[in-house]
Amino acid sequence: MLRLFVGIGFPPELKLQLSLLCSGMPGAKWVDPGNFHLTLRFIGETGESLAADINEALARLRARRFTLELAGTGVFGGADKPRSLWVGVERSPELVALRDKIEQALVRSGLPPEPRKFSPHVTLARLKHPAPDRIAAFLAASAQFRAEPLEVNSFSLIASVQTKAGSVYEDQADYRLLP
């Protein structure tokens, strides 16, 4: 079984820029900078046969290249039960169109539709019982974060492999976008 998701990888310089945000929150489990990415669709545990069908469906997908901008920070779970810190993604019709095409391809491959609303973000940390004042301070300090625009030329089918040191992401296939 493979634990799969579809995502957009980042170049080393963007991963470094994101990693500079990862401090100042006691109890946060920071994402390893090598694992920073934008998830387009989480798939989950998948057998080899379905994984092959997914790969074929994604390989047939046609979408155009586009520019992505990461900006701002936030928290999932709200003030009463914060679960994770994230960097936001500026509104992008091209990103939503790509995500919709991926969703359609995966449903045609036999996966159930994704029930959650697409909320593009880059997870920085998972939280366990953080102090509300520390979250407020982190969000205030990082509110003006803005990365250089990222040219998105491809997306990937990625396996998440669990190790004692945490998750390791391995690209299973890359899919080029049209010029």
Side-chain angles (χ1 to χ4, degrees):
M1 294 289 271
L2 296 168
R3 187 169 194 258
L4 298 175
F5 65 92
V6 180
I8 295 171
F10 297 147
E13 56 275 8
L14 179 54
K15 290 179 178 183
L16 174 62
Q17 190 178 7
L18 290 167
S19 73
L20 297 175
L21 295 172
C22 298
S23 65
M25 179 66 62
K29 183 172 179 359
W30 298 103
V31 171
D32 181 279
N35 285 347
F36 287 138
H37 68 280
L38 173 61
T39 299
L40 297 171
R41 172 62 146 81
F42 180 73
I43 297 170
E45 296 289 333
T46 307
E48 297 286 338
S49 176
L50 181 55
D53 292 345
I54 289 168
N55 177 48
E56 285 181 35
L58 293 175
R60 287 192 301 266
L61 190 148
R62 297 291 172 253
R64 296 215 170 273
R65 296 176 182 171
F66 60 96
T67 301
L68 191 66
E69 294 187 51
L70 303 182
T73 57
V75 62
F76 283 131
D80 57 331
K81 235 182 176 190
R83 295 184 317 272
S84 62
L85 294 174
W86 49 261
V87 166
V89 177
E90 292 286 314
R91 190 170 176 77
S92 167
E94 297 89 354
L95 174 64
V96 173
L98 174 60
R99 207 276 323 165
D100 289 349
K101 287 181 179 190
I102 290 168
E103 179 67 17
Q104 292 165 3
L106 295 177
V107 169
R108 281 194 304 273
S109 297
L111 291 174
E114 173 59 60
R116 295 170 292 193
K117 179 180 178 281
F118 182 52
S119 184
H121 66 281
V122 179
T123 301
L124 295 176
R126 305 225 180 333
L127 304 173
K128 279 196 176 179
H129 314 296
D133 60 325
R134 298 302 293 227
I135 292 174
F138 175 86
L139 294 175
S142 59
Q144 299 303 312
F145 174 82
R146 179 168 289 282
E148 290 292 318
L150 172 67
E151 292 296 323
V152 179
N153 300 316
S154 65
F155 65 96
S156 303
L157 180 63
I158 304 164
S160 175
V161 179
Q162 300 300 321
T163 69
K164 288 181 181 178
S167 296
V168 174
Y169 296 156
E170 297 176 354
D171 283 5
Q172 303 298 296
D174 296 317
Y175 311 98
R176 304 296 302 163
L177 296 172
L178 302 171

